[in-house]
Amino acid sequence: AWTSMVTGVGPDKHGVQDFLRMEEEAHHISPTEEVKLNCPAIWDVFSAADRRVAMLNLPMIYPPPAVDGWFVSGIPHAVQEGVAHPDSVQSELENGPYQISSIVDPSSSEEYMEDLKRIVDARAELTLSALEDADAELVWSVFMAIDWAQHYL
């Protein structure tokens, strides 16, 4: 659904079927870590029109495309190295409290909720920073904590 939302077309056109992909030759399923869309996404349309974007924590898009503005990849990419464009945004993420997803076991519900709150706070801080500093005409920030909480608690 994430890739369909940003392209306006279905999986048969953009080429991404799921968070998992079948490795035909190896006969096993692995996480979709690197995504190449088969059609333009909204940030491509904006960039082609010389319009700046700030796309923050977008699931299923890795590596982050070189847009006119900011781009931060989201889940399922687990590590935070190389998830942001430009490098200045990557440095900001590495030097702050930002994290892509929770590292706390959901069975520890109180700790898990505290971690989700930290994630939301850091994401809100990044979003406010983008609104102030990115000079973007489109700011798209994805907050996943409510989805994660309802899955695990």
Side-chain angles (χ1 to χ4, degrees), residues 57-71:
N57 196 48
L58 241 66
M60 302 300 299
I61 307 299
Y62 181 83
V67 298
D68 185 5
W70 295 15
F71 200 105

Side-chain angles (χ1 to χ4, degrees), residues 4 8 10 22 24 26 34 42-43 51-52 71 75 78 81 84 92 100 103-104 114 124 128 133 143 150:
S4 294
M22 175 62 146
E24 300 286 332
E34 201 163 312
I42 192 165
W43 54 85
R51 304 287 195 237
R52 290 180 57 84
F71 200 105
I75 61 169
E81 297 169 4
E92 185 177 331
I100 293 174
I103 55 172
V104 175
E114 284 300 315
L128 291 173
D133 302 333
F143 288 74
Q150 67 88 25

Side-chain angles (χ1 to χ4, degrees), residues 34 53 100 121 132 138 150:
E34 201 163 312
V53 299
I100 293 174
D121 289 347
E132 293 172 4
L138 170 65
Q150 67 88 25

